[in-house]
Amino acid sequence: MTYILNLETATKNCSVSLAKDGKTVVCLEVADEGYSHAEKLHVFIEQALQQAGLTFQNLDAVAVSQGPGSYTGLRIGVSAAKGLSYALNIPLLATDTLEALSRKITIESGIVVPMLDARRMEVFTAFFDKDYTKIRETKAEIIDENTYAEVVGPLHLVGDGASKCKEVLVSDKFVYHDKVIHPSANEMSAMSFEKFQQKDFADVAYFEPFYLKDFVMTTKPKA
């Protein structure tokens, strides 16, 4: 039996799952506008272990959503995952945030287009086929009426970034899945188990989140 702790903090959703052989046993999450990751993450970790009847010593690996996403959210999740990996001497696994989001829906044909809200009309996005294989690289993309004009549909749009595209991307080839907003650690369970079986481990010392865009701190100009 392989037990993996999965941490998803790349968006407003602070999500933790405990998985056994790639299947979720416990999943705890909350999506707060105020980003409560710092307060909730470690509480959820302890509660997930308690509900599963396990201890930290039962864990075989810890997985973290690597991004793209919120700079602060990613830092919190990665710091926690690295700390657990080092302290428990277990492998660190890194999973694709957009793939986890795409896995929240099932399609028969077409392309899944997960979208994370960046700012204004910009989104973090990628393309996945019906088997969740990435078929176009992750990009920070500004959406306008000509976006994806050359792509044959159907295009299944999911995530908080998709909701703001409705008035711009109006072709019949766009299918909106409004109930899917944030990625979750629940979908990470299968992803992290596959990486564990392949021994696709991240380097605890050098692993960094995939921010996609540089973090920029703005200051007021001097008078």
Side-chain angles (χ1 to χ4, degrees):
M1 294 181 291
T2 301
Y3 291 104
I4 300 177
L5 182 70
N6 301 287
L7 312 181
E8 168 57 75
T9 60
T11 67
K12 294 176 182 177
N13 194 28
C14 179
S15 181
V16 173
S17 76
L18 195 288
K20 174 185 175 182
D21 294 337
K23 295 184 179 180
T24 300
V25 177
V26 178
C27 184
L28 302 172
E29 57 190 359
V30 63
D32 286 341
E33 289 298 322
Y35 283 90
S36 60
H37 303 54
E39 295 80 14
K40 298 289 179 63
L41 181 60
H42 289 281
V43 174
F44 283 171
I45 291 171
E46 292 182 1
Q47 290 179 345
L49 287 167
Q50 289 173 359
Q51 291 183 27
L54 302 173
T55 68
F56 284 107
Q57 283 64 41
N58 294 120
L59 296 177
D60 295 288
V62 57
V64 65
S65 184
Q66 68 181 9
S70 157
Y71 181 91
T72 301
L74 288 170
R75 294 303 300 177
I76 292 172
V78 169
S79 295
K82 280 187 169 186
L84 289 169
S85 174
Y86 180 79
L88 299 172
N89 193 28
I90 57 177
L92 174 66
L93 307 167
T95 62
D96 188 319
T97 302
L98 290 173
E99 180 183 342
L101 180 56
S102 72
R103 284 175 177 262
K104 294 189 77 70
I105 66 169
T106 302
I107 64 171
E108 295 297 326
S109 63
I111 299 170
V112 184
V113 187
M115 291 180 164
L116 297 179
D117 190 5
R119 60 175 183 173
R120 300 185 180 90
M121 287 307 294
E122 189 172 24
V123 297
F124 298 141
T125 185
F127 285 1
F128 294 85
D129 65 16
K130 64 183 180 64
D131 298 315
Y132 311 115
T133 299
K134 184 178 285 189
I135 56 176
R136 200 204 70 174
E137 72 276 13
T138 300
K139 295 181 179 180
E141 196 160 31
I142 297 175
I143 304 298
D144 61 33
E145 62 274 10
N146 296 314
T147 301
Y148 310 139
E150 75 288 356
V151 183
V152 177
L155 298 177
H156 297 265
L157 276 56
V158 300
D160 60 357
S163 59
K164 67 183 183 182
C165 298
K166 279 190 170 183
E167 295 182 3
V168 178
L169 303 179
V170 296
S171 167
D172 291 340
K173 72 180 180 181
F174 296 111
V175 181
Y176 289 90
H177 297 259
D178 296 329
K179 293 183 179 180
V180 179
I181 302 176
H182 303 298
S184 168
N186 183 54
E187 282 69 37
M188 288 177 63
S189 295
M191 297 165 61
S192 61
F193 184 58
E194 182 178 349
K195 281 182 171 286
F196 182 84
Q197 290 180 307
Q198 297 171 348
K199 299 187 183 302
D200 185 4
F201 304 147
D203 188 307
V204 177
Y206 297 103
F207 173 74
E208 289 291 333
F210 178 42
Y211 297 117
L212 191 58
K213 294 173 63 178
D214 291 334
F215 177 72
V216 179
M217 181 178 291
T218 58
T219 57
K220 293 182 179 180
K222 296 182 180 179

